[in-house]
Amino acid sequence: RRKVVTKIFSMNDPDAAGPSSTSGVNTAKPDPINSEFLYYSSVLRVIALALTGDVDRQLVIPWVRKLFRPEYHSAQFREKRNKYLLYLTLTLLNDECYGIFRIAPPSGPLPELQSIEHEEQPMAQWELDPMWRDSVAALPADFQYLSCAVHEFVMDCEKDHDLDVILDQEFQFFLFLARPYASLLNSDDQTKIAAWLQTLCTISGRSCSSMKAIRNDYMMALLGYVHDLRVAGPFREYPPWTTLRPLMEAAKWSAETKPITDPTGHEANEFLAALPIPQDGAFCYIALTGDLIDGAVSQMQ
């Protein structure tokens, strides 16, 4: 059954099909719904295989097949698909299938989650985790919150709170997952990640949904890095004090200011540290980038 689940995920993984037939840089606009889908898929790929009960693993397979069907990749059903994937992920984190996932999915359309009569379940550990609440409560009275990077006027921020509940729940969940991995980093990285977590925690309460969405983008990326026990991108620096620009802008700025080919950069040091120390002689490496090649060609012309 583990092989069956793995095969289902591989068949629906856009990266599994190999490189795209079209060459060049991908200029498509960011798609947050697709990013969520890829994230939940990668999480389910791990926890579905780790279920301890054979019955639970058997129940997951038809649900994965259902949610990965082509029709649920259409614009009309993508949000419903992601809601079910989130619900399934939270269910499997308790190492069991419960609620609607205890039975096979319907052959027809899936019902709206709001219409399902849910069983009363005790609150999960991540829901009871006090870190976020304690971090906000410990802020000094004169603390200056980050300004909104989306809205120009305060009145626009005040109107943007439709998604607060789901975004806050998502952040609480990601925060709970990130903490154990963050504690395994080296001391320097721990300090930076702790500063980032505290800064992201301040985007709460009165913050608009747009800023909370940006906060969650950072939290999702940070979780991916600390899960690999490394720090990269904008998280190599301490968080800003004024505002939090969209993650895509911050990542681009980070790549431009500290490229991976920088010999004084963090990645270069880690790469050399992992290599055996030569008894005689020294390391010699050459790094080529498109910018250097383009510059050399232009000079030759």
Side-chain angles (χ1 to χ4, degrees):
R1 295 192 189 98
R2 293 175 186 267
K3 292 182 179 179
V4 172
V5 175
T6 304
K7 183 177 180 181
I8 294 172
F9 279 115
S10 300
M11 291 171 60
N12 292 276
D13 188 346
D15 294 331
S20 173
S21 58
T22 58
S23 59
V25 179
N26 182 12
T27 58
K29 293 182 179 179
D31 186 349
I33 295 181
N34 188 58
S35 298
E36 281 188 353
F37 169 71
L38 295 176
Y39 178 75
Y40 294 137
S41 300
S42 63
V43 173
L44 283 172
R45 190 197 306 267
V46 176
I47 61 177
L49 297 176
L51 289 171
T52 56
D54 289 338
V55 175
D56 292 318
R57 284 199 298 271
Q58 189 174 7
L59 289 171
V60 169
I61 293 174
W63 277 102
V64 171
R65 285 177 173 154
K66 179 76 173 182
L67 294 172
F68 279 69
R69 287 178 59 88
E71 58 266 31
Y72 286 98
H73 292 271
S74 64
Q76 184 177 359
F77 297 114
R78 291 196 309 161
E79 287 193 38
K80 175 188 278 190
R81 173 202 64 193
N82 284 11
K83 290 178 181 179
Y84 267 89
L85 287 174
L86 173 58
Y87 188 21
L88 179 60
T89 300
L90 297 178
T91 299
L92 299 187
L93 282 173
N94 293 324
D95 196 30
E96 63 175 336
C97 292
Y98 57 79
I100 191 174
F101 301 114
R102 283 181 177 168
I103 59 176
S107 57
L110 292 174
E112 296 294 335
L113 282 175
Q114 296 88 334
S115 65
I116 300 174
E117 185 176 349
H118 299 285
E119 301 178 18
E120 288 293 331
Q121 298 288 339
M123 295 186 72
Q125 188 175 356
W126 66 269
E127 295 177 286
L128 300 173
D129 187 77
M131 177 185 173
W132 189 10
R133 181 180 64 251
D134 293 345
S135 297
V136 175
L139 295 174
D142 58 347
F143 179 80
Q144 296 294 322
Y145 288 87
L146 297 175
S147 60
C148 182
V150 179
H151 302 108
E152 184 177 357
F153 302 105
V154 176
M155 63 178 63
D156 294 329
C157 276
E158 294 175 349
K159 297 177 182 177
D160 183 14
H161 290 283
D162 294 340
L163 301 177
D164 281 5
V165 175
I166 184 64
L167 290 172
D168 286 345
Q169 290 176 341
E170 187 179 58
F171 177 72
Q172 173 85 354
F173 178 55
F174 292 152
L175 182 64
F176 176 78
L177 293 179
R179 287 176 57 195
Y181 296 106
S183 64
L184 300 176
L185 299 171
N186 62 58
S187 57
D188 291 339
D189 288 341
Q190 276 190 28
T191 303
K192 291 179 182 178
I193 294 302
W196 271 101
L197 292 177
Q198 290 176 344
T199 299
L200 295 176
C201 284
T202 63
I203 303 177
S204 59
R206 62 183 184 180
S207 301
C208 64
S209 291
S210 297
M211 280 301 292
K212 290 181 177 181
I214 293 176
R215 171 201 65 190
N216 288 15
D217 288 341
Y218 275 86
M219 191 65 232
M220 191 183 301
L222 186 149
L223 175 59
Y225 286 131
V226 298
H227 182 270
D228 293 337
L229 300 182
R230 65 190 182 99
V231 175
F235 305 108
R236 289 181 293 176
E237 304 293 337
Y238 284 96
W241 292 95
T242 54
T243 189
L244 196 64
R245 71 177 80 180
L247 179 61
M248 183 173 61
E249 295 180 13
K252 183 178 180 181
W253 177 85
S254 178
E256 291 174 348
T257 55
K258 289 192 175 181
I260 194 171
T261 53
D262 181 3
T264 63
H266 188 65
E267 286 84 358
N269 291 336
E270 288 185 347
F271 175 74
L272 292 175
L275 296 177
I277 300 176
Q279 297 296 327
D280 298 300
F283 291 117
C284 180
Y285 295 98
I286 299 176
L288 295 179
T289 70
D291 293 337
L292 293 176
I293 295 174
D294 292 341
V297 172
S298 62
Q299 290 178 2
M300 293 174 61
Q301 293 176 345

